[in-house]
Amino acid sequence: MARKLRSVIQNNLETCFVTGSPNVAVHHIFPGKGRRKLCEKYGFLVALEPRYHNMSSYSVHAVPNAGLDLQFKQMAQSYYEENYGSRQDFIKEFGKSYL
């Protein structure tokens, strides 16, 4: 049985965070080996229309660590530090600070 994904960034993963469109892909905010599972564990997911996800030159995958992608990483890190652990704890799990 598939596990239901949840997000601490938005209330539901059925509409695009940016546009509200129901045509979405679920984006794991932190890339890298093992980080997809961490994103699912902590709810660091966001629903995005394909053009904001990976189908344009301005998508979060095309422009990592800047713009919208950086905003999501900062939101997730802030949530982590408010609810789970220190900045050092975050760095141990996700590799670096985005704040």
Side-chain angles (χ1 to χ4, degrees), residues 8 46 54 60:
V8 299
V46 65
N54 63 357
V60 293

Side-chain angles (χ1 to χ4, degrees), residues 53 56-70 73:
H53 185 235
S56 71
S57 61
Y58 54 85
S59 71
V60 293
H61 284 279
V63 190
N65 300 323
L68 191 57
D69 185 58
L70 180 58
K73 287 175 177 164

Side-chain angles (χ1 to χ4, degrees), residues 7-8 10 23 34 44 46-48 53 57 79 84 88 90 99:
S7 173
V8 299
Q10 67 184 118
N23 179 26
F44 297 156
V46 65
L48 295 170
H53 185 235
S57 61
Y79 186 91
Y84 296 114
Q88 287 307 108
F90 178 86
L99 297 175

Side-chain angles (χ1 to χ4, degrees), residues 22-38:
N23 179 26
V24 297
V26 175
H27 175 62
H28 292 72
I29 293 173
F30 298 102
K33 188 173 183 178
R35 293 200 180 115
R36 286 179 63 93
K37 286 188 179 190
L38 285 174

